Amino acid sequence: MTPAIETQRNPVSAFLGGAVIGTLGGLIGLGGAEFRLPLLIGMFRFPALEAVILNKTMSLIVVATALLFRSRAVPFADVAANWPIIVNLLAGSLIGAWMGAAWATRLKSETLYRVIATMLVLIAIILILGHDATVG
Amino acid sequence: MASLLGVAGGELLIPTLVLLFGADIKLAGSLSLAVSLPTMLVGFTRYTRDQSFIVVGRNKIFLLVMAAGSIGGTFIGGQLLGLVPAGTLLPLLAVILLALAYKVWQHK
């Protein structure tokens, strides 16, 4: 590890980076992971797979707390009342999560960068489409 | 698919919830988190089997500090939830994502 990378990964920039990402994530109800991942790669210079794994670990912590904070704006009762939707989506997502993780660990680093970039674009498109749908 | 990125999949879940289940955007946000949490645990478990997982131990402080920053930010975001209209939020985030996608694609 070079000295340059050491300074780039100092706790202050890690905290600030996390704070900005968390704010974005908290606003929209995401863990902020999709913003954190490119930051881990671009700014903190982690290799693709390591960035993905670090990102995952942080997301776990962040999502758990985000759910708590959002309970002010959206009460737990409202979330719990919609349990059939939650179960419905979980059925597919749990299987997908396992397969996706298995696939990522086998990919070449270069390929993984491309996959990540492509998916970020897809996410952006989906956000815009979702927005149009809600506005009407 | 979401696990591949190490993301929660919330960005896909929210539109699904809004479009298919007719959930309000704010409720959709919370519901997506409720679905994300178990999903991420599963992906996480799979990653613990990989060699690259030692990166977590090696960067423990970095990880905890950034997570703490994220949590602080999430709190701020949660507080702003009632103030910022969702209509301006999503296009803004989409633009940020496109810029980030370009950066990652360029990465060697």
Side-chain angles (χ1 to χ4, degrees), chain A residues 18-19 34 70 93 97 126 131 133, chain B residues 3 11-12 19 26 30 39 69-70:
Chain A
E34 44 293 306
R70 284 179 73 88
S93 68
I126 291 167
H131 159 65
Chain B
S3 194
E11 58 289 328
L12 302 175
L19 294 174
K26 286 174 187 172
S30 289
T39 305
S70 284

Side-chain angles (χ1 to χ4, degrees), chain A residues 12-94:
Chain A
V12 176
S13 50
F15 185 82
L16 289 178
V20 172
I21 285 157
T23 306
L24 291 174
L27 266 173
I28 197 174
L30 309 178
E34 44 293 306
F35 302 104
R36 197 186 307 114
L37 184 65
L39 205 69
L40 285 170
I41 294 170
M43 190 173 148
F44 296 109
R45 305 265 152 217
F46 284 104
L49 184 58
E50 294 194 357
V52 167
I53 293 174
L54 279 176
N55 195 24
K56 189 97 200 160
T57 312
M58 286 189 246
S59 294
L60 267 180
I61 303 170
V62 173
V63 164
T65 51
L67 202 51
L68 288 179
F69 290 142
R70 284 179 73 88
S71 65
R72 287 162 182 255
V74 184
F76 280 129
D78 290 0
V79 179
N82 289 283
W83 67 267
I85 299 181
I86 297 176
V87 172
N88 195 343
L89 289 172
L90 271 180
S93 68
L94 291 181

